[in-house]
Amino acid sequence: MMESSSRPDVRRTTTKMASMTAVSVFLLCCFAVASVASQDCDQFAATGRSFNVSLGRKWDSNANLKWKFKDAIIFYKRQGTVITGKIEDINTDGSFKLTNVRKDQEGLYSTEVYDQSGKGQPTKSIKLCVLDPVKKPKVEATCEDKNVIIKCIPDKQPKDVEYEWLKNGVKMEKEKRLSFQVKAADTKADKFACSVSNKASFEVSEAVAHNCAKTDCDQFAATGRSFTVSLGYTLKKTDTLRWKFNDTIIFYTKPSGVIKGKKDDINADGSLKLTNVRKNQSGLYSAEVFDQSGREQTRRTIKLCVLDPVKKPKVEATCEDKNVIITCIPGQQPKDVEYRWLKNGVEMKKETKLSFEVKAAETKADKFACKFSNKASSEVSDAVAHNCTKTDCDQFAATGRSFNVSLGYALKKTDTLKWKFEDTIIFYKRKELVNSGKIDDINADGSLKRTNVGKDQAGLYTAEVHDQEGREQTKKSIKLCVLDPVKKPKVITTCKDKNVNITCIPDKQPKDVEYEWLKNGAKMEKEKKLSFEVKAAETKADKFACKFFNKASSEVSEAVAHNCAKTAIPGLPDELWGIPIWYILGGGGGIVLLLIIIVIVCCVQTRRTRKLRLKDEEELRLEWTNTEQHHHHHHHLPPLPNHPPPHHPHNQQQQQQQQQAPGNTGPRQSRSKQNRQPRPKAPEPNSQPQPSPRRALQAQKHANDADEEQPPPLPQPRKKGPKTQVD
């Protein structure tokens, strides 16, 4: 009985195991089929987007190419001629273009390539799968105490999508869920984004930064500005109010009057006034309020933080073809500032960078501004509108001036030319014959002359040229716009201490004019206003001019140089031949001083030499005199006759001159001394001539001091024969 009862249980168990095995096998097969189905696609495309089915090989544009989709020919090009499809269906590399992809374009794409000789080239088939594109997700940050919950909101996404987190643009490998938590203090400078993707497309959310890093400040004030520390209570006249700053009473009032501080220190509601706030006023402010019976009405503590205020930014618009680049120039801002864009006063939430691009035609009526802020202050730039919208005018002419409407074609004498203005023929020339207008209405190249242009000449000009056989050579339409010409501006300079104010006076200009500054003929890129200031010393050699222009004309003012650079020496320039005048004066003064020193040294040296020479000559005369006396006393010379020869001053003077050495510049002795000097005895007729006193002196010196160097011999007096006295 027990055996028979156990058999049905075994059978049921076996049946259950078999059924479970079958289910498992079925699920595995389904999974394998699904895996194979998802893996047998070579390429993936997203619906509604463009896609290129690659050829998979290099392609020669001269080769024959055939594209098939599910064995149906969708493109065929043979010997340079497109037989099936359009030439725009393929790219230069032979890949097949799909635009606005649909689900019915999913399937097998195959190609056949033949070279010019008809030889087939190896190709491969491509299985294309079309998937729905993913949608752009969104990230939200939620503050929870000291933490932040970062959450990705995917919206409605297609199947088989994948997610990943980005922190400051870098993939976060550890985060695999749609929500995670981080420390607020550790991530206050980080930005988070989530990416959603499938095999055909991907999208990344906007990067988000949280604002959950709590500061211990209750209120914020900006330096240099006024601020009110709020009481948060409606003060009554019968109340007692006490304000403290860091436990020091700064204001105390009772119903009887103000005890500490001034009445103007608070507002009517009891809030505390702070004017011209400074950094040392940041701290803890506490307020206490009591009623007339002494019961506490309120008590409040406020932590005030003082920050530097933000500065006013600036917006610039730059035209680039049909687009406009809007740029915010922040200047030097304090730390921890935020900025946002405003379009016509409304915040542009999508624009998160300091520069972005817009379509010129779509934003020609809009004004853009950027706003900088911190927790204590905010500043908004001036709203700026661009002027980049292109007009439909091809050429521009100025009223009252001459203008040529260009033909853009080299006209031949045998050509027929017809000019129209608003469908009215204004000039018609057939070969050499002018049928309408005058020959002077056109130039040699066929361009149309317009003289003393008026506003009524603005409009559409059409030119038609045919050759002598009547075949059209060219046809051109020109939209001409006529504008008022700009007027010549004027530049003035104003001296301000060491600076110069350069101002352009535009006079009455037409609309839509632009201007620029020129310095020595070159454009000054940084100067955008009609007046600016420069250093006088740095620009004394420069000339400034301002230029006004529109699309039809331009005018430049006279170049002006200022005279505000004061020279150090009146009447003299600061530079001469590029050299500072002080260098020249200093060098010249140095040369003059050197010459004076040289002259003084030469004079002193000459005077010293002259004194030494006079002294030597005096000593020489003394020695000569002693020598003469010695000869008179020790030699037995015949006595002089009783009647000396008659005195001849001329002969005596001549003799004295002969005895004087050549080149002797010593002082001449007086006539009385000459008369007192003893005359030498006249030599005997047959005797030898006596040596001169100087020669005798030389001989004596040579005998006494033979070791000394001998001086050069002195010149001898002329030898004359003795004069015989006639009785």
Side-chain angles (χ1 to χ4, degrees):
M1 293 292 292
M2 293 179 62
E3 291 179 358
S4 60
S5 62
S6 63
R7 286 177 182 174
D9 294 336
V10 171
R11 290 175 183 174
R12 284 195 296 270
T13 303
T14 305
T15 304
K16 289 181 180 179
M17 292 180 63
S19 61
M20 291 177 64
T21 302
V23 170
S24 300
V25 171
F26 176 75
L27 291 174
L28 288 173
C29 292
C30 291
F31 177 76
V33 170
S35 301
V36 171
S38 63
Q39 292 179 356
D40 64 351
C41 298
D42 300 304
Q43 295 181 16
F44 295 86
T47 57
R49 301 184 181 182
S50 297
F51 186 79
N52 293 325
V53 185
S54 63
L55 182 62
R57 59 167 285 114
K58 290 184 178 181
W59 181 62
D60 182 4
S61 59
N62 296 320
N64 298 332
L65 175 63
K66 184 184 293 183
W67 271 100
K68 292 182 179 181
F69 174 58
K70 296 180 180 179
D71 295 329
I73 298 174
I74 55 176
F75 179 83
Y76 186 22
K77 178 174 176 275
R78 184 178 63 184
Q79 296 180 354
T81 302
V82 177
I83 298 173
T84 303
K86 297 180 293 183
I87 191 63
E88 293 84 5
D89 291 341
I90 62 168
N91 296 303
T92 54
D93 60 354
S95 58
F96 188 73
K97 295 180 185 178
L98 294 176
T99 57
N100 194 16
V101 177
R102 304 180 307 276
K103 287 289 183 75
D104 58 358
Q105 291 177 306
E106 181 180 72
L108 187 65
Y109 290 80
S110 59
T111 58
E112 296 178 7
V113 179
Y114 302 91
D115 60 18
Q116 294 180 351
S117 63
K119 183 179 179 181
Q121 303 296 318
T123 58
K124 66 176 183 178
S125 299
I126 296 161
K127 176 67 178 295
L128 179 66
C129 293
V130 179
L131 306 177
D132 290 326
V134 297
K135 296 181 180 180
K136 188 173 183 177
K138 183 180 178 182
V139 171
E140 288 184 352
T142 306
C143 304
E144 284 195 359
D145 194 15
K146 295 182 179 180
N147 298 326
V148 188
I149 297 175
I150 310 295
K151 186 177 181 180
C152 181
I153 301 173
D155 204 356
K156 294 181 179 180
Q157 299 290 352
K159 297 179 180 180
D160 301 326
V161 296
E162 297 179 359
Y163 298 90
E164 65 180 29
W165 280 100
L166 304 175
K167 179 181 176 182
N168 301 323
V170 180
K171 183 179 179 180
M172 302 175 69
E173 300 289 346
K174 295 181 179 180
E175 300 302 335
K176 304 296 183 182
R177 298 181 180 180
L178 288 176
S179 179
F180 63 95
Q181 187 172 283
V182 291
K183 296 287 185 183
D186 297 340
T187 58
K188 60 183 179 181
D190 297 325
K191 288 188 175 183
F192 299 90
C194 67
S195 170
V196 182
S197 62
N198 61 10
K199 294 181 179 180
S201 60
F202 75 95
E203 289 287 348
V204 181
S205 71
E206 298 290 340
V208 171
H210 67 79
N211 193 21
C212 301
K214 290 185 179 179
T215 167
D216 56 352
C217 300
D218 300 305
Q219 295 182 17
F220 295 87
T223 56
R225 301 185 181 181
S226 297
F227 186 78
T228 300
V229 186
S230 62
L231 178 63
Y233 170 80
T234 304
L235 190 69
K236 304 177 183 69
K237 292 183 179 181
T238 57
D239 289 338
T240 297
L241 171 64
R242 183 163 50 207
W243 274 103
K244 292 181 180 180
F245 173 60
N246 293 336
D247 295 328
T248 300
I249 297 174
I250 57 176
F251 182 82
Y252 186 18
T253 181
K254 287 185 174 182
S256 58
V258 177
I259 299 172
K260 179 76 172 179
K262 296 180 295 181
K263 187 176 181 179
D264 295 335
D265 289 343
I266 63 168
N267 293 310
D269 60 355
S271 57
L272 183 67
K273 294 181 185 178
L274 297 178
T275 57
N276 193 18
V277 177
R278 302 180 304 276
K279 287 287 183 75
N280 59 8
Q281 289 178 302
S282 60
L284 189 64
Y285 290 81
S286 57
E288 297 172 350
V289 180
F290 300 89
D291 62 11
Q292 55 186 351
S293 61
R295 290 175 298 188
E296 185 178 282
Q297 299 299 303
T298 187
R299 179 187 292 267
R300 189 177 188 191
T301 302
I302 298 116
K303 177 68 179 292
L304 179 67
C305 292
V306 179
L307 305 177
D308 291 323
V310 296
K311 296 181 180 179
K312 187 174 181 177
K314 182 182 177 182
V315 171
E316 288 185 353
T318 306
C319 305
E320 283 198 358
D321 195 17
K322 296 181 180 181
N323 298 328
V324 188
I325 297 176
I326 311 294
T327 304
C328 183
I329 302 172
Q332 292 182 348
Q333 299 288 354
K335 295 181 179 179
D336 301 326
V337 296
E338 299 177 358
Y339 64 89
R340 61 189 65 180
W341 280 101
L342 305 175
K343 178 181 176 182
N344 301 322
V346 180
E347 182 180 351
M348 302 174 69
K349 294 185 178 180
K350 292 184 178 181
E351 300 303 336
T352 58
K353 296 182 179 180
L354 285 174
S355 181
F356 62 94
E357 192 173 281
V358 292
K359 297 289 185 182
E362 297 174 359
T363 57
K364 60 183 179 181
D366 297 324
K367 288 189 175 183
F368 299 89
C370 63
K371 179 180 179 180
F372 272 75
S373 61
N374 61 8
K375 294 179 178 180
S377 60
S378 65
E379 288 287 348
V380 182
S381 71
D382 292 328
V384 171
H386 66 80
N387 191 22
C388 302
T389 308
K390 292 188 175 180
T391 128
D392 57 352
C393 300
D394 301 305
Q395 296 181 19
F396 295 87
T399 56
R401 301 186 182 182
S402 297
F403 185 79
N404 293 326
V405 185
S406 62
L407 177 63
Y409 170 79
L411 189 69
K412 305 178 183 66
K413 292 183 178 180
T414 57
D415 289 339
T416 297
L417 172 63
K418 184 187 295 182
W419 273 104
K420 293 181 180 180
F421 175 60
E422 303 289 355
D423 296 328
T424 301
I425 298 174
I426 56 175
F427 181 84
Y428 184 25
K429 182 182 80 74
R430 189 171 184 178
K431 296 183 180 179
E432 300 292 336
L433 182 62
V434 177
N435 296 328
S436 181
K438 297 180 294 182
I439 191 63
D440 295 334
D441 290 344
I442 64 167
N443 294 305
D445 60 356
S447 57
L448 183 66
K449 294 181 184 178
R450 301 279 85 179
T451 56
N452 193 17
V453 177
K455 289 288 183 73
D456 56 351
Q457 291 177 308
L460 186 64
Y461 289 81
T462 307
E464 298 177 3
V465 179
H466 297 80
D467 62 12
Q468 55 187 350
E469 296 179 359
R471 291 175 297 190
E472 185 180 278
Q473 299 299 303
T474 187
K475 186 174 183 178
K476 187 176 183 181
S477 295
I478 299 115
K479 178 68 179 294
L480 179 66
C481 292
V482 179
L483 306 177
D484 290 326
V486 297
K487 296 181 180 180
K488 188 172 183 177
K490 182 181 178 182
V491 172
I492 59 172
T493 60
T494 306
C495 303
K496 287 187 177 180
D497 195 15
K498 295 182 179 180
N499 298 330
V500 189
N501 187 272
I502 313 292
T503 304
C504 181
I505 301 175
D507 204 356
K508 293 181 179 180
Q509 299 289 353
K511 295 181 180 180
D512 301 327
V513 296
E514 298 179 20
Y515 64 89
E516 62 186 28
W517 279 100
L518 305 176
K519 179 181 176 183
N520 301 323
K523 182 179 178 181
M524 301 176 70
E525 300 290 346
K526 294 183 179 180
E527 299 303 334
K528 304 295 183 183
K529 296 182 179 180
L530 286 174
S531 181
F532 63 95
E533 201 168 87
V534 292
K535 298 287 185 183
E538 297 174 359
T539 57
K540 59 186 176 181
D542 297 324
K543 288 189 176 183
F544 298 89
C546 65
K547 178 182 178 181
F548 272 76
F549 58 93
N550 60 10
K551 295 179 179 180
S553 60
S554 66
E555 288 288 348
V556 182
S557 71
E558 298 291 340
V560 172
H562 67 80
N563 193 21
C564 301
K566 296 180 180 179
T567 59
I569 303 176
L572 291 178
D574 287 343
E575 293 183 357
L576 189 62
W577 301 305
I579 303 173
I581 193 68
W582 281 113
Y583 292 175
I584 296 175
L585 293 177
I591 293 172
V592 171
L593 181 61
L594 181 61
L595 290 175
I596 292 173
I597 294 172
I598 292 173
V599 169
I600 292 173
V601 170
C602 290
C603 290
V604 171
Q605 187 67 24
T606 302
R607 187 174 182 182
R608 184 180 296 176
T609 304
R610 185 175 181 183
K611 284 183 178 181
L612 291 174
R613 185 180 297 168
L614 289 174
K615 186 176 180 182
D616 291 343
E617 288 182 356
E618 186 66 25
E619 290 177 356
L620 186 61
R621 289 192 187 94
L622 290 174
E623 289 181 3
W624 181 77
T625 303
N626 294 335
T627 304
E628 287 294 325
Q629 291 176 0
H630 178 75
H631 280 297
H632 281 294
H633 289 286
H634 296 284
H635 290 88
H636 299 284
L637 294 175
L640 292 173
N642 295 329
H643 302 283
H647 179 68
H648 297 282
H650 177 71
N651 294 337
Q652 185 177 1
Q653 183 178 359
Q654 185 177 3
Q655 183 178 1
Q656 186 178 1
Q657 290 175 359
Q658 291 174 0
Q659 291 178 358
Q660 188 174 356
N664 187 2
T665 60
R668 184 179 298 175
Q669 294 181 357
S670 64
R671 188 175 297 275
S672 62
K673 288 184 179 182
Q674 292 178 2
N675 294 334
R676 287 197 301 267
Q677 287 181 359
R679 292 174 58 189
K681 184 179 179 181
E684 297 295 331
N686 296 327
S687 63
Q688 295 294 328
Q690 296 293 328
S692 65
R694 293 189 181 184
R695 187 172 294 278
L697 180 62
Q698 291 176 3
Q700 183 179 0
K701 286 185 177 182
H702 180 70
N704 294 335
D705 195 3
D707 295 333
E708 293 183 3
E709 183 179 356
Q710 296 182 1
L714 296 174
Q716 298 181 2
R718 288 185 297 178
K719 298 178 181 180
K720 293 184 180 181
K723 294 182 180 180
T724 57
Q725 186 175 0
V726 181
D727 295 334

